[in-house]
Amino acid sequence: MSAALDILRWPAAVFVGLALCVIVLTVVLALAAPLLARRRPRTAATPPFSFVVPIKAFDDSFDPAQESLFVQDYPDFDITVTAAEAESPAVSAARRILEANPGRPARIVRSTARFAASPKVDNLCEAVENAAHDLIATKDSNIVLPPQAMSEAVARMTEGVGLVTAITEACDARNFPAALECSLMNQSHGRILYAAQALGLGFGLGKLMVFRRSDLHRVGGFEAIAHSVGEDSALDHALKNIGLRTVIISVPLLQPLGARSFHDVYHRQLRWSVIRRHNETLAFLVEPFGLSSAVALAAAFAAPLVGVSAGVGAGFVLAFWFGCETLLALARGWDVSMSAPAIMIARDVVMLGVWVRAWFTKRVKWAAEVYEAHRECGSLPAPANSAAPVQKRNDR
């Protein structure tokens, strides 16, 4: 039995070694990302574009998130806020903000589409199809845009690029579940995404998406992305299928978290994990390499190979991991507190459970509703169906 365990310890040791190499590499790449971003291709063109902002929930960050639309350092764009409800706290707040900023063309419309797996796609469809410009920017209602965000995003819409996205950094966490999600978004997901950006890789990140409506029509319109709750990765894949790349801009977006419940954090992460299992299978399969809890367990099992106890093996991994993440956090200006080690461990224990659970479910919770992560879409609303096959007056 002991000999058999020793044989099994070697794969665990290899897993630990590879995982530690991965975190060092991703930290180094993430630190280098701002320097490498300056060398990416850019365009000086500033075409007009249409902002389409779907709204539903209202929270403490709603006002600054929508007000950030009006401080963009960009010459020509209009704004359409779209909601499924005729009246709600979010609609009332959006109306007040638009009325306080009369210098920019802006309106609120009610969405009536009910055909997609994603309620966000339902909310976006008619507003995008009826937008004044071919160049479209969609923004989630809980995201604060820095003033230079849109000038940077449009500058990256060069030849061969179909989608421009951005990394979201969390801030203003006011309780432990929010701090856990802040660590997830920054030190965990952010680290991987900045490393990918440094390598010139791009992924569908739905907090901000810039694309051409004409390109969306080329891949089949909204019907091409309506099957998935993860419309951002579905759009990324659809555009890549016709040879158009996705790029990530160097300007981060901000998401104030406030106070969160553990229930909401868990189900939000489970939703994204199930989406990755369907849409980004390879990334989903290697996720344990990015979880300190999984690597610490493997280190504890492999520890006898180097003559140390399981506790020492696991403790070394956790300390090394925390040191790497802290270095990146300090360089990026992210919050680091005395509770950060406990937050990191709790975060990756939760995510290990989320990863296991994501193998066995296809139903996800979003805004208190339960959805199938993937399903057949229904029929598009008549205006969208009739517009999709023909070129809009401002399409390229």
Side-chain angles (χ1 to χ4, degrees), residues 318-342:
L318 293 175
F320 184 85
W321 205 280
F322 179 72
C324 290
E325 286 197 355
T326 301
L327 174 64
L328 178 60
L330 292 174
R332 296 288 315 181
W334 297 332
D335 291 339
V336 178
S337 66
M338 294 297 293
S339 60

Side-chain angles (χ1 to χ4, degrees), residues 53-77:
V53 183
I55 63 171
K56 185 173 181 64
F58 177 81
D59 55 28
D60 292 343
S61 66
F62 186 89
D63 280 20
Q66 289 14 281
E67 288 165 353
S68 71
L69 295 167
F70 295 93
V71 298
Q72 291 304 297
D73 183 17
Y74 197 88
D76 189 4
F77 63 92

Side-chain angles (χ1 to χ4, degrees), residues 111-118 121-130 213 216-217 219-228 375-390 392:
S111 64
T112 60
R114 300 293 183 271
F115 68 98
S118 167
V121 169
D122 284 340
N123 207 350
L124 287 172
C125 177
E126 292 162 293
V128 169
E129 291 292 357
N130 293 309
R213 181 176 53 205
L216 175 63
H217 288 168
V219 300
F222 277 98
E223 286 182 306
I225 63 173
H227 62 282
S228 175
R375 67 172 176 81
E376 293 295 322
C377 66
S379 299
L380 271 70
N385 263 332
S386 61
V390 299
K392 306 285 280 193

Side-chain angles (χ1 to χ4, degrees), residues 145-315:
L145 295 176
Q148 70 275 30
M150 288 312 302
S151 58
E152 177 67 17
V154 176
R156 296 300 309 279
M157 286 292 292
T158 56
E159 188 70 26
V161 173
L163 179 64
V164 174
T165 63
I167 298 168
T168 302
E169 296 183 355
C171 60
D172 193 27
R174 299 179 188 172
N175 62 4
F176 187 81
L180 188 149
E181 187 155 45
C182 186
S183 181
L184 269 169
M185 292 179 64
N186 295 348
Q187 285 93 322
S188 186
H189 297 163
R191 168 172 55 85
I192 300 297
L193 290 172
Y194 278 116
Q197 181 198 62
L199 294 173
L201 303 177
F203 303 99
L205 305 173
K207 297 298 186 181
L208 175 70
M209 297 193 296
V210 181
F211 58 93
R212 300 178 188 89
R213 181 176 53 205
S214 52
D215 288 335
L216 175 63
H217 288 168
R218 286 174 60 197
V219 300
F222 277 98
E223 286 182 306
I225 63 173
H227 62 282
S228 175
V229 170
E231 79 294 329
D232 46 7
S233 60
L235 179 58
D236 167 62
H237 284 292
L239 291 171
K240 285 176 178 174
N241 285 340
I242 61 170
L244 296 176
R245 296 182 292 112
T246 296
V247 299
I248 303 173
I249 63 173
S250 58
V251 177
L253 315 179
L254 295 178
Q255 183 174 353
L257 299 184
R260 302 251 162 154
S261 72
F262 180 80
H263 177 272
D264 287 343
V265 172
Y266 174 83
H267 281 286
R268 187 159 37 251
Q269 297 303 321
L270 180 60
R271 182 177 82 241
W272 292 340
S273 191
V274 171
I275 290 170
R276 288 194 297 273
R277 178 170 68 86
H278 282 280
N279 294 3
E280 308 287 348
T281 305
L282 180 59
F284 176 80
L285 291 174
V286 300
E287 280 182 18
F289 285 91
L291 299 176
S292 63
S293 56
V295 184
L297 288 173
F301 180 66
L305 292 176
V306 291
V308 300
S309 68
V312 170

